[in-house]
Every structure is written in C-alpha cells, then in structure tokens.
Amino acid sequence: MSWRGAVLTLFPAMFPGPLGQSLAGRALATGLWALDVTNIRDFARDRHRTVDDTPFGGGAGMVLRPDIADAAVASVADDRPVICLTPRGQRFTQADARRFAAGPGLILLCGRYEGIDQRVIEARAMHEYSIGDYVLSGGELAALVLLDSIVRLLPDVMGAADSAAEESFSSGLLEYPHYTRPAEWQGRRVPEVLISGHHAAVAAWRQTESERITRERRPDLWAAPASPTHPASATSS
Ligand code: 9WO
C-alpha cells in the first residue's frame, strides 16, 4: 500500500501543483504515493455554499465553520493523522517529515480566512504545524511544502544525491558549500582541497565548513542536544 496524502482545501486547483513535477510527480504517476484532494466547499449546506461565518467576540475576518470542516475531514478520515497548517503551529522539522514518511500517510486541512474553529481542531485531535514565522493567505502552500519534504523521503523516490543531502541535514548540521566546473569563474577559484583528490581532506573540509556555517547561521541547531541523528553537537566546543 503506497503512502496516501489527503488534502482538504477551498482551492483544490492548487494541487498537486509543483508536486506533479520532477521526482514527486514521477512518484505520483508511478503510484509510489497518492494524493486525494477534497474541496471543503462541497460540504457546504446552503445554496450559496457558505463555509465560513463571523467570529464570536467580533473582530476582523471570518472563521471556517466547525461543522463544515468536520464533514470534510470525516469524508477521508481513517488511521492517518490529521494535521492543520497554521501560523501558530509547532515548527515542522525534518524529523517530523521522516516520522510521517514512515507512516501510512497524512490528512492535511488547509485553513483560510482568519482561522479554523477551535472545536474541530480539538474534536479531530488535529496537530497544528507551521513552516515558519509568517502569515500566508492560507494553509495550501504550507501543505505543499510538508508533502514535498515527506514524499522525497519515501522509498525509491529520491536519488542518491538527495539521500546524501537528507543524511547531512539529519546530522544536525547545515550543508557545506558546493562547487562545480569551471574551476575559476569571474576570478573566483574553487577551494584547492576540493581539487586535490585527497578524499580524507575533502571530507574534513566539508565537516569543518558544515560546523562553521551551522554555528554562524543557526546557533539554535548548533546548541541542540546531542542525539543519534545529531552527532555533531556531541563534538561541539
Ligand atoms: C487572517 C486574518 C484576517 C483578519 C484578521 C486576522 C487574520 N488572521 C488570519 C490568519 O492568520 N489566517 C490564517 C490563514 C488562518 C489559517 C490558514 N492560513 C494560514 C496558514 N496563513 N499562514 C499559514 C501558515 C501555515 C503554516 N506555516 C506558516 C503559515
């Protein structure tokens, strides 16, 4: 049984979008994963297909109705976890992507308006995830990001190069700088060690650069507690 994603959205035409291209698209076409897209508006009950209403307590914006959102979730609910994408969610990480890739799939509720009624989030035990500290127009772009990060981890989807990238990030360090031909470009030369043919020296340079860049740009990652997938911080000074 392949990995199954289900997206609940007011904008079904946004899917599969970029996930229909490249590695993810090829995997979708060959059945390595599947994506069901459901239009939340199909569960509206009035002839105007209304799915939102004004917020209790007043204020700007509208709120996605709990009964409509729940009917949409119920139409796809099974053993898969249900998540919703919101600015206030827990920050999504590579570890989350790996965990979801190891499961049966995922149901993603994409909010719009000012938000989703809290009661359906609680009733469906949804976990809220954020992909960063900014407000988008809705949850759809975040859902595409999550799905891409998960699908590329599924067996037989990504190539060896992607596996290497996954491994390096899983070390808790950021990627070292990359170079390719020409050896000199606009007067800028490639670091000599990389054209030395000395594999141990190249490996050492790459580790040093990963640690330097992580220390400089992501002190939070650098300070993360040592763990089997984060050996780097075990060596940190
Ligand atoms: C809309 C709005 C309108 C008037 C007053 C206040 C308001 N807040 C919002 C709002 O936050 N809308 C969100 C839109 C509701 C949930 C879905 N939307 C969303 C998800 N925007 N950004 C995200 C998101 C998801 C994951 N990671 C980062 C951002």
Side-chain angles (χ1 to χ4, degrees), residues 15-33:
F15 297 87
L19 297 177
Q21 305 296 314
S22 188
L23 283 175
R26 214 165 25 245
L28 190 58
T30 55
L32 288 178
W33 71 293

Side-chain angles (χ1 to χ4, degrees), residues 4 19 23 47 57 78-80 94 98 103 121 131 141-142 163-164 166 168 179 197 201 214 221:
R4 293 182 304 119
L19 297 177
L23 283 175
R47 58 196 171 92
D78 51 22
D79 62 334
R80 293 171 292 177
Q94 189 69 14
R98 279 198 298 273
I121 295 173
I131 60 168
L141 289 178
S163 303
E166 152 63 9
S168 70
Y179 297 86
T214 306
L221 279 183

Side-chain angles (χ1 to χ4, degrees), residues 60-61 85-87 111-115 129-132 134-139 142:
L85 294 311
T86 74
R112 279 274 158 168
Y113 312 114
E114 182 171 357
Y129 282 102
S130 163
I131 60 168
Y134 35 75
V135 178
L136 303 168
S137 305

Side-chain angles (χ1 to χ4, degrees), residues 56-67:
F56 280 119
M62 302 290 275
V63 176
L64 186 63
R65 286 179 47 155
D67 51 342

Side-chain angles (χ1 to χ4, degrees), residues 123-191:
R124 289 287 175 176
M126 292 185 211
H127 204 103
E128 298 181 62
Y129 282 102
S130 163
I131 60 168
D133 293 337
Y134 35 75
V135 178
L136 303 168
S137 305
E140 288 81 7
L141 289 178
L144 287 166
V145 166
L146 258 76
L147 285 168
D148 185 70
S149 71
I150 294 164
V151 166
R152 62 189 300 282
L153 298 178
L154 298 177
D156 305 322
V157 171
M158 62 182 173
D162 290 288
S163 303
E166 152 63 9
E167 282 315 307
S168 70
F169 195 87
S170 303
S171 69
L173 292 175
L174 300 178
E175 280 269 286
Y176 47 79
H178 297 279
Y179 297 86
T180 188
R181 282 184 284 268
E184 179 166 339
W185 173 73
Q186 291 190 351
R188 297 169 185 270
R189 290 191 53 72
V190 169

